[in-house]
Amino acid sequence: MLSAIFAIIFVLIIICISLYDKFLAVIEENTNYRFKLELNKMEQEYSAKLDDKLNQLHSLRHDMKNHLIVIDGYASQHNDMKIHEYIHNICEDLSLTNAVDSGSHIVSALIAEKEDKAKSQNIRCEINISTPDINIDDFSITTIIGNLFDNAIKAAAECEHGWIRFSLTQTGSYMNIVIENSYFGNIIEKNGEFTSTKNDKVLPHGIGIKNVRKVVSNLNGHIDFSYASGYFSVKAELPNYS
């Protein structure tokens, strides 16, 4: 009798484990599906912005002769102020959408979206990208860049004159991701986690850092965090070869 009960319990345990594995598989499939939907939406929005930028350039090219006539007229009047204002207005029209070329349409769309988000909060952004191609899978690279950029935006938004510097470069077969930003408050680091002496006790850089560390480790990469008064820096080095 006992052996039969144990056998039934064993079978039930096997069934539960099997169902749990299937449940995890379904969750992972749904997560990947939502992730792809979000990437597709972001890419479509970025493509639409690039189309708008292209239309702006075509329009400017079409009207360039008229613009030059106006500027020449101001020049003949020695009206430097009007020349400056007119050129400034043209530049403002051209800067409505930032074109980012990273070698990956997905990454370009992500960086452009984060830059727009930062600038909407009056955060000064400097973007430097000089990488020929990105061979890291979309999920990993967007997890790293997305989390680090979001954290930098949250920290810089707390500053009176917030700023962010982002660079994506290639050295040999390794990609270098560097993001630096301003922050307000004091940082306390313990076991790789960052907290603040501000009332909220949580530095925004703590959000998503575990996910970033995990992805970097899975890619056999390396990541470093450093900080000084009002300055925070993250540097990640990732294998990037075909």
Side-chain angles (χ1 to χ4, degrees), residues 46 100-109 132-134 136 138 141:
Y46 181 64
V100 177
D101 184 11
S102 68
S104 165
H105 206 60
I106 290 294
V107 174
S108 296
D133 197 11
I134 296 179
I136 301 171
D138 292 338
I141 194 67

PDB file of all heavy atoms in Angstrom, residues 46 100-109 132-134 136 138 141:
ATOM      1  N   TYR A  46      10.758  54.906 -35.615  1.00  0.00           N
ATOM      2  CA  TYR A  46      12.019  55.515 -36.025  1.00  0.00           C
ATOM      3  C   TYR A  46      12.063  55.698 -37.538  1.00  0.00           C
ATOM      4  O   TYR A  46      12.525  56.730 -38.043  1.00  0.00           O
ATOM      5  CB  TYR A  46      13.183  54.644 -35.569  1.00  0.00           C
ATOM      6  CG  TYR A  46      14.544  55.204 -35.915  1.00  0.00           C
ATOM      7  CD1 TYR A  46      14.983  56.408 -35.375  1.00  0.00           C
ATOM      8  CD2 TYR A  46      15.395  54.519 -36.781  1.00  0.00           C
ATOM      9  CE1 TYR A  46      16.228  56.919 -35.677  1.00  0.00           C
ATOM     10  CE2 TYR A  46      16.649  55.026 -37.083  1.00  0.00           C
ATOM     11  CZ  TYR A  46      17.060  56.221 -36.531  1.00  0.00           C
ATOM     12  OH  TYR A  46      18.294  56.725 -36.845  1.00  0.00           O
ATOM     13  N   VAL A 100      20.413  58.590 -36.287  1.00  0.00           N
ATOM     14  CA  VAL A 100      21.473  57.853 -35.617  1.00  0.00           C
ATOM     15  C   VAL A 100      21.843  56.666 -36.483  1.00  0.00           C
ATOM     16  O   VAL A 100      20.971  55.917 -36.916  1.00  0.00           O
ATOM     17  CB  VAL A 100      21.017  57.361 -34.225  1.00  0.00           C
ATOM     18  CG1 VAL A 100      22.110  56.542 -33.565  1.00  0.00           C
ATOM     19  CG2 VAL A 100      20.619  58.534 -33.347  1.00  0.00           C
ATOM     20  N   ASP A 101      23.128  56.485 -36.754  1.00  0.00           N
ATOM     21  CA  ASP A 101      23.579  55.363 -37.570  1.00  0.00           C
ATOM     22  C   ASP A 101      24.511  54.497 -36.740  1.00  0.00           C
ATOM     23  O   ASP A 101      25.656  54.862 -36.478  1.00  0.00           O
ATOM     24  CB  ASP A 101      24.300  55.873 -38.824  1.00  0.00           C
ATOM     25  CG  ASP A 101      24.696  54.724 -39.748  1.00  0.00           C
ATOM     26  OD1 ASP A 101      24.221  53.594 -39.514  1.00  0.00           O
ATOM     27  OD2 ASP A 101      25.477  54.958 -40.689  1.00  0.00           O
ATOM     28  N   SER A 102      24.011  53.346 -36.296  1.00  0.00           N
ATOM     29  CA  SER A 102      24.794  52.460 -35.435  1.00  0.00           C
ATOM     30  C   SER A 102      25.173  51.158 -36.134  1.00  0.00           C
ATOM     31  O   SER A 102      25.868  50.328 -35.553  1.00  0.00           O
ATOM     32  CB  SER A 102      23.998  52.125 -34.172  1.00  0.00           C
ATOM     33  OG  SER A 102      22.874  51.326 -34.501  1.00  0.00           O
ATOM     34  N   GLY A 103      24.688  50.964 -37.351  1.00  0.00           N
ATOM     35  CA  GLY A 103      24.900  49.689 -38.018  1.00  0.00           C
ATOM     36  C   GLY A 103      23.771  48.711 -37.760  1.00  0.00           C
ATOM     37  O   GLY A 103      23.711  47.644 -38.365  1.00  0.00           O
ATOM     38  N   SER A 104      22.872  49.065 -36.855  1.00  0.00           N
ATOM     39  CA  SER A 104      21.693  48.250 -36.552  1.00  0.00           C
ATOM     40  C   SER A 104      20.484  49.166 -36.480  1.00  0.00           C
ATOM     41  O   SER A 104      20.485  50.133 -35.712  1.00  0.00           O
ATOM     42  CB  SER A 104      21.870  47.520 -35.215  1.00  0.00           C
ATOM     43  OG  SER A 104      20.634  47.008 -34.739  1.00  0.00           O
ATOM     44  N   HIS A 105      19.466  48.862 -37.278  1.00  0.00           N
ATOM     45  CA  HIS A 105      18.283  49.718 -37.298  1.00  0.00           C
ATOM     46  C   HIS A 105      17.591  49.721 -35.942  1.00  0.00           C
ATOM     47  O   HIS A 105      17.079  50.748 -35.490  1.00  0.00           O
ATOM     48  CB  HIS A 105      17.319  49.246 -38.385  1.00  0.00           C
ATOM     49  CG  HIS A 105      16.438  50.337 -38.905  1.00  0.00           C
ATOM     50  ND1 HIS A 105      16.939  51.470 -39.504  1.00  0.00           N
ATOM     51  CD2 HIS A 105      15.086  50.485 -38.898  1.00  0.00           C
ATOM     52  CE1 HIS A 105      15.942  52.264 -39.871  1.00  0.00           C
ATOM     53  NE2 HIS A 105      14.807  51.692 -39.507  1.00  0.00           N
ATOM     54  N   ILE A 106      17.590  48.565 -35.262  1.00  0.00           N
ATOM     55  CA  ILE A 106      16.964  48.462 -33.945  1.00  0.00           C
ATOM     56  C   ILE A 106      17.702  49.331 -32.928  1.00  0.00           C
ATOM     57  O   ILE A 106      17.084  50.114 -32.187  1.00  0.00           O
ATOM     58  CB  ILE A 106      16.954  47.000 -33.460  1.00  0.00           C
ATOM     59  CG1 ILE A 106      15.972  46.161 -34.289  1.00  0.00           C
ATOM     60  CG2 ILE A 106      16.575  46.919 -31.984  1.00  0.00           C
ATOM     61  CD1 ILE A 106      14.527  46.531 -34.117  1.00  0.00           C
ATOM     62  N   VAL A 107      19.018  49.227 -32.891  1.00  0.00           N
ATOM     63  CA  VAL A 107      19.809  50.007 -31.937  1.00  0.00           C
ATOM     64  C   VAL A 107      19.716  51.498 -32.251  1.00  0.00           C
ATOM     65  O   VAL A 107      19.618  52.332 -31.348  1.00  0.00           O
ATOM     66  CB  VAL A 107      21.281  49.541 -31.940  1.00  0.00           C
ATOM     67  CG1 VAL A 107      22.146  50.437 -31.057  1.00  0.00           C
ATOM     68  CG2 VAL A 107      21.370  48.095 -31.460  1.00  0.00           C
ATOM     69  N   SER A 108      19.737  51.846 -33.530  1.00  0.00           N
ATOM     70  CA  SER A 108      19.604  53.255 -33.922  1.00  0.00           C
ATOM     71  C   SER A 108      18.276  53.822 -33.435  1.00  0.00           C
ATOM     72  O   SER A 108      18.217  54.940 -32.916  1.00  0.00           O
ATOM     73  CB  SER A 108      19.701  53.385 -35.446  1.00  0.00           C
ATOM     74  OG  SER A 108      20.966  52.992 -35.920  1.00  0.00           O
ATOM     75  N   ALA A 109      17.214  53.047 -33.610  1.00  0.00           N
ATOM     76  CA  ALA A 109      15.891  53.482 -33.161  1.00  0.00           C
ATOM     77  C   ALA A 109      15.861  53.653 -31.647  1.00  0.00           C
ATOM     78  O   ALA A 109      15.299  54.619 -31.122  1.00  0.00           O
ATOM     79  CB  ALA A 109      14.826  52.475 -33.594  1.00  0.00           C
ATOM     80  N   PRO A 132      31.177  49.694 -37.079  1.00  0.00           N
ATOM     81  CA  PRO A 132      30.785  49.271 -38.424  1.00  0.00           C
ATOM     82  C   PRO A 132      29.559  48.381 -38.468  1.00  0.00           C
ATOM     83  O   PRO A 132      28.752  48.455 -39.391  1.00  0.00           O
ATOM     84  CB  PRO A 132      32.025  48.523 -38.931  1.00  0.00           C
ATOM     85  CG  PRO A 132      32.688  48.023 -37.677  1.00  0.00           C
ATOM     86  CD  PRO A 132      32.452  49.092 -36.655  1.00  0.00           C
ATOM     87  N   ASP A 133      29.390  47.545 -37.456  1.00  0.00           N
ATOM     88  CA  ASP A 133      28.274  46.603 -37.462  1.00  0.00           C
ATOM     89  C   ASP A 133      28.059  46.079 -36.047  1.00  0.00           C
ATOM     90  O   ASP A 133      28.974  46.071 -35.225  1.00  0.00           O
ATOM     91  CB  ASP A 133      28.578  45.428 -38.400  1.00  0.00           C
ATOM     92  CG  ASP A 133      27.333  44.654 -38.770  1.00  0.00           C
ATOM     93  OD1 ASP A 133      26.218  45.152 -38.462  1.00  0.00           O
ATOM     94  OD2 ASP A 133      27.445  43.567 -39.351  1.00  0.00           O
ATOM     95  N   ILE A 134      26.823  45.658 -35.771  1.00  0.00           N
ATOM     96  CA  ILE A 134      26.491  45.087 -34.473  1.00  0.00           C
ATOM     97  C   ILE A 134      26.042  43.646 -34.675  1.00  0.00           C
ATOM     98  O   ILE A 134      25.035  43.385 -35.347  1.00  0.00           O
ATOM     99  CB  ILE A 134      25.386  45.902 -33.765  1.00  0.00           C
ATOM    100  CG1 ILE A 134      25.893  47.314 -33.457  1.00  0.00           C
ATOM    101  CG2 ILE A 134      24.955  45.208 -32.479  1.00  0.00           C
ATOM    102  CD1 ILE A 134      24.869  48.201 -32.793  1.00  0.00           C
ATOM    103  N   ILE A 136      25.624  41.498 -32.022  1.00  0.00           N
ATOM    104  CA  ILE A 136      25.017  41.024 -30.773  1.00  0.00           C
ATOM    105  C   ILE A 136      23.511  40.952 -30.967  1.00  0.00           C
ATOM    106  O   ILE A 136      22.921  41.823 -31.621  1.00  0.00           O
ATOM    107  CB  ILE A 136      25.376  41.980 -29.617  1.00  0.00           C
ATOM    108  CG1 ILE A 136      26.904  42.062 -29.460  1.00  0.00           C
ATOM    109  CG2 ILE A 136      24.733  41.528 -28.313  1.00  0.00           C
ATOM    110  CD1 ILE A 136      27.360  43.143 -28.506  1.00  0.00           C
ATOM    111  N   ASP A 138      19.489  41.209 -30.697  1.00  0.00           N
ATOM    112  CA  ASP A 138      18.675  42.382 -30.371  1.00  0.00           C
ATOM    113  C   ASP A 138      18.279  42.428 -28.901  1.00  0.00           C
ATOM    114  O   ASP A 138      18.311  43.490 -28.271  1.00  0.00           O
ATOM    115  CB  ASP A 138      17.408  42.409 -31.243  1.00  0.00           C
ATOM    116  CG  ASP A 138      17.712  42.670 -32.704  1.00  0.00           C
ATOM    117  OD1 ASP A 138      18.790  43.231 -32.979  1.00  0.00           O
ATOM    118  OD2 ASP A 138      16.880  42.311 -33.558  1.00  0.00           O
ATOM    119  N   ILE A 141      21.461  43.442 -26.638  1.00  0.00           N
ATOM    120  CA  ILE A 141      21.971  44.801 -26.805  1.00  0.00           C
ATOM    121  C   ILE A 141      20.953  45.842 -26.359  1.00  0.00           C
ATOM    122  O   ILE A 141      21.301  46.865 -25.775  1.00  0.00           O
ATOM    123  CB  ILE A 141      22.414  45.051 -28.265  1.00  0.00           C
ATOM    124  CG1 ILE A 141      23.259  46.320 -28.364  1.00  0.00           C
ATOM    125  CG2 ILE A 141      21.227  45.094 -29.204  1.00  0.00           C
ATOM    126  CD1 ILE A 141      24.586  46.231 -27.675  1.00  0.00           C
TER     127      ILE A 141
END
